[in-house]
Amino acid sequence: MFISEQLLYTINQTLKQSQRLSGPLSVAGVIHGGSINRCFRLKSGKESFFLKVNSQRDYPEMFMKEAMALKLLDSTHSILVPQVISYGAAGDEQFLLLQWINTGANTSRAQERLGEGLAALHHHSASGFGLDYTNYMGSLIQSNRPHAEWVDFFVEERLKPQVKIAADKWLIDQDTINKFNLLFCRMKEFLPEVKPALVHGDLWSGNYMIGEGETPVLIDPAIAYANRECDIAMSKLFGGFDEIFYESYNHHFPLEKNWSERTDLWNLYPLLIHLNLFGRSYLGAIKAALKRYL
């Protein structure tokens, strides 16, 4: 992987204008592990930055939307996120430049603070479900068209668009599509009334870090005002969260009765996302979840 001279020049000028340049700008390393973006560590003097690069043509405004999300999360003063240094484009390359986070120990205290911070975030509410702009979940567009009721938002803006993508790509059979349509009709049977909560939206173990001083940091958000159980459910999907995280969260913001019975329901959305991005290996989990509710 490489960074074009044009992009590096643009970032250099951006840092110079913001007086963040303390020495020659250089690429200190390639960061591996992401499946969507090219990521790098940049250095200027003693300061490091985290850089994400992708195609502006393929994913228009992806990093602008991520920067907006990080700034909104930061404004809640509930849990740390990386500081947005800059975002922009050079040719077809778009970039997001963030504060570099040094990795710390993922201790029990860190997990406890992660639960406390997420609970504080979820206390931030809105008049309805959604957001005033679309964003991304992974590399897929995520519609946040506002709805007054959670069921309507979850069905219309989360499940239906992903079922359509899966059907159009021949990743899902007609029987499973029929089961989704039946689920849409019965959805209200499973749901208590909930208040909109500001959620991270893509809360798996790869989307939080533990910084220095056992400090949790949320990264790669896919925010909306939604049902807070969705964040908790997704944290269960791929593991990586200790039991003390859930105990801490529940202490600071107790979950609704029988919340765990709805976990597979909420996880239909990230499973559909994974089906559409990575293929049919996720179809079995989707069918198993549908079977539980139908």
Side-chain angles (χ1 to χ4, degrees):
M1 292 194 293
F2 68 95
I3 303 175
S4 69
E5 290 185 10
Q6 183 183 12
L7 181 58
L8 203 57
Y9 174 80
T10 299
I11 296 169
N12 188 82
Q13 293 301 107
T14 298
L15 288 171
K16 186 180 293 185
Q17 290 170 7
S18 62
Q19 299 183 329
R20 295 294 295 262
L21 207 61
S22 56
L25 186 65
S26 63
V27 180
V30 177
I31 309 300
H32 298 284
S35 59
I36 297 168
N37 305 301
R38 292 154 39 219
C39 299
F40 306 88
R41 181 176 186 173
L42 302 186
K43 292 199 77 172
S44 172
K46 294 183 178 181
E47 186 168 10
S48 290
F49 306 95
F50 182 73
L51 174 69
K52 302 169 96 170
V53 181
N54 214 319
S55 166
Q56 175 70 6
R57 181 186 65 252
D58 293 341
Y59 310 111
E61 299 184 336
M62 173 186 277
F63 292 146
M64 181 185 79
K65 302 296 178 65
E66 184 172 343
M68 292 167 67
L70 289 169
K71 289 177 180 179
L72 178 56
L73 292 174
D74 184 55
S75 73
T76 68
H77 304 292
S78 54
I79 191 166
L80 288 180
V81 297
Q83 178 190 358
V84 176
I85 309 299
S86 180
Y87 63 89
D92 181 50
E93 290 184 304
Q94 61 176 316
F95 71 90
L96 177 63
L97 191 65
L98 301 172
Q99 168 194 12
W100 179 265
I101 305 292
N102 288 318
T103 304
N106 192 359
T107 61
S108 294
R109 175 59 179 149
Q111 287 286 311
E112 182 181 6
R113 294 175 73 181
L114 179 60
E116 180 180 356
L118 187 68
L121 175 65
H122 287 170
H123 274 292
H124 291 266
S125 189
S127 58
F129 297 92
L131 203 61
D132 55 2
Y133 56 88
T134 61
N135 52 16
Y136 285 82
M137 175 75 150
S139 59
L140 297 179
I141 291 287
Q142 178 172 261
S143 171
N144 293 311
R145 187 166 54 100
H147 290 265
E149 300 292 333
W150 165 244
V151 171
D152 296 334
F153 179 80
F154 187 60
V155 170
E156 298 297 329
E157 313 306 327
R158 292 293 179 262
L159 296 184
K160 280 187 177 181
Q162 296 306 317
V163 170
K164 184 179 187 306
I165 291 172
D168 290 346
K169 294 173 71 172
W170 298 95
L171 293 170
I172 196 168
D173 55 88
Q174 188 59 51
D175 180 64
T176 304
I177 294 171
N178 292 341
K179 284 185 169 62
F180 268 109
N181 288 331
L182 179 59
L183 179 70
F184 299 156
C185 295
R186 296 185 55 189
M187 189 71 75
K188 290 187 178 180
E189 297 176 21
F190 309 113
L191 308 180
E193 290 186 14
V194 295
K195 188 177 177 182
L198 181 57
V199 301
H200 176 278
D202 193 5
L203 193 65
W204 70 289
S205 59
N207 283 347
Y208 78 85
M209 298 176 60
I210 302 300
E212 295 176 331
E214 302 174 300
T215 303
V217 183
L218 295 183
I219 60 174
D220 295 345
I223 66 166
Y225 288 94
N227 186 330
R228 64 192 178 104
E229 289 181 5
C230 290
D231 271 351
I232 302 299
M234 192 168 180
S235 74
K236 295 275 189 178
L237 191 56
F238 302 117
F241 295 77
D242 292 348
E243 190 57 38
I244 195 169
F245 160 78
Y246 301 100
E247 293 172 1
S248 176
Y249 180 94
N250 208 43
H251 173 76
H252 292 281
F253 196 174
L255 288 157
E256 297 287 337
K257 184 179 179 181
N258 300 326
W259 67 271
S260 61
E261 295 179 5
R262 295 180 287 273
T263 294
D264 289 343
L265 187 64
W266 307 139
N267 280 341
L268 281 169
Y269 178 57
L271 285 171
L272 282 165
I273 292 281
H274 279 73
L275 173 71
N276 289 327
L277 288 177
F278 307 117
R280 292 174 63 90
S281 61
Y282 293 92
L283 186 56
I286 291 170
K287 289 184 174 184
L290 286 170
K291 187 176 181 180
R292 180 174 181 187
Y293 298 102
L294 297 174

